[in-house]
Amino acid sequence: MFSLAIVDLKESVASWRLWMLLGWLEVRQRYARSRVGPFWLTISTGVLVGSIGVVYGTLFGQKMSDYLPFLAISLVLWATFSQTIIEGSTAYINSGQYIRQAATPKLIFMLQVIWRNLVILVHNFVIILLLLAIFGVKSWETLPVFIPALVLYMINALWIAMVAGLLSARFRDLPQIVAALMQIAFYVTPVMYRPNALTRFSAIVDFNPLAHLIELVRAPLIGEMPSAMTWAVTIGMAVFGWLFALALTGRYLKRIPYWV
């Protein structure tokens, strides 16, 4: 089971020119004939952060110089994670015509999803950089930790997208369920509120693996170092998640053309 999935993964990575080109073209086509282009993503996200930040910052009694960067980092990175999974659940379905007509590695379409969302992340990251420039960087020492944290963050997003995409190709109602679950996860994960805000219901954060995932990439940007528990949970998720995703992919990889 693993050997077939690993071979497909190697061939998919080797075809990096193809999935990078496809991902970039999708972003460009979405904003074709627009003067601003993909930066409409940045504008819309900036408006969202500004409006939600003022409202929720006032409701929570937060200091805006601390809360706005916290919120922007949380929303931008969560959007990358959730969109990767949601789009991953329909990756095989939307690429059905290519899968049926050409014998290409299947995981190309998952890497395409990851690349497309990383391109969008780069556009939206301008907001984070702007807020850090306005309100100041809390700690320069923790900033380099963001790079390995982001890699681990996207590795976890990729295996979840792989599982969601494979199961959705078989069960066509699953993409709607995945989208609904990600919406629920947004509210039970400390994205708009700080992890220590739930004093009476701290178990929602402590036993929520997604809370550790978002904290992993958010903490270095707000001047904090991710805890040992956060690293352990996210690394454990990546190891066991990838073993499960590769086993599932290897078992059902050859059935994808018949399902889509």
Side-chain angles (χ1 to χ4, degrees):
M1 291 189 297
F2 286 103
S3 59
L4 185 61
I6 291 174
V7 169
D8 190 275
L9 180 60
K10 288 181 179 179
E11 293 178 352
S12 298
V13 173
S15 304
W16 59 271
R17 292 181 180 85
L18 177 59
W19 50 262
M20 288 182 72
L21 177 62
L22 291 174
W24 178 249
L25 285 177
E26 284 192 7
V27 175
R28 290 192 62 182
Q29 288 174 358
R30 191 179 302 180
Y31 296 94
R33 298 186 180 182
S34 171
R35 290 183 179 274
V36 181
F39 281 100
W40 274 116
L41 297 166
T42 309
I43 296 172
S44 60
T45 304
V47 171
L48 180 67
V49 169
S51 56
I52 292 180
V54 172
V55 173
Y56 280 86
T58 304
L59 289 175
F60 295 153
Q62 297 287 316
K63 187 179 178 181
M64 287 299 170
S65 60
D66 293 332
Y67 184 67
L68 279 178
F70 171 89
L71 181 65
I73 294 166
S74 301
L75 287 177
V76 168
L77 292 170
W78 177 264
T80 302
F81 179 79
S82 62
Q83 283 301 116
T84 298
I85 296 172
I86 292 172
E87 293 176 9
S89 67
T90 59
Y92 293 137
I93 298 172
N94 294 339
S95 304
Q97 57 180 340
Y98 301 111
I99 295 174
R100 291 190 299 268
Q101 294 176 8
T104 57
K106 306 302 182 292
L107 292 178
I108 277 180
F109 305 105
M110 290 299 161
L111 295 175
Q112 176 186 346
V113 169
I114 281 284
W115 172 246
R116 180 171 63 246
N117 282 283
L118 282 175
V119 170
I120 294 173
L121 173 62
V122 170
H123 285 86
N124 287 335
F125 208 80
V126 173
I127 301 168
I128 297 176
L129 295 177
L130 181 62
L131 289 175
L132 290 179
I134 293 173
F135 297 113
V137 176
K138 301 300 180 183
S139 173
W140 290 98
E141 296 179 356
T142 62
L143 284 182
V145 181
F146 174 73
I147 302 301
L150 180 63
V151 172
L152 184 56
Y153 187 70
M154 298 309 295
I155 285 175
N156 275 289
L158 180 55
W159 76 257
I160 298 174
M162 287 168 57
V163 173
L166 192 63
L167 295 178
S168 296
R170 176 64 181 87
F171 306 102
R172 292 304 179 91
D173 292 329
L174 198 58
Q176 287 74 24
I177 297 174
V178 170
L181 289 176
M182 292 309 301
Q183 188 67 39
I184 295 171
F186 173 78
Y187 292 111
V188 299
T189 302
V191 176
M192 294 192 298
Y193 56 88
R194 296 185 181 274
N196 57 6
L198 299 177
T199 53
R200 293 179 56 189
F201 306 98
S202 59
I204 295 177
V205 175
D206 296 337
F207 297 100
N208 182 358
L210 298 183
H212 291 283
L213 269 179
I214 192 68
E215 183 65 18
L216 177 71
V217 287
R218 180 175 57 202
L221 295 177
I222 61 174
E224 300 174 3
M225 193 68 71
S227 65
M229 177 61 73
T230 294
W231 283 108
V233 170
T234 50
I235 292 173
M237 285 178 63
V239 172
F240 291 105
W242 267 92
L243 289 175
F244 175 69
L246 289 174
L248 196 67
T249 301
R251 183 177 180 84
Y252 297 108
L253 189 67
K254 293 183 178 179
R255 302 187 187 183
I256 293 176
Y258 301 98
W259 290 344
V260 298

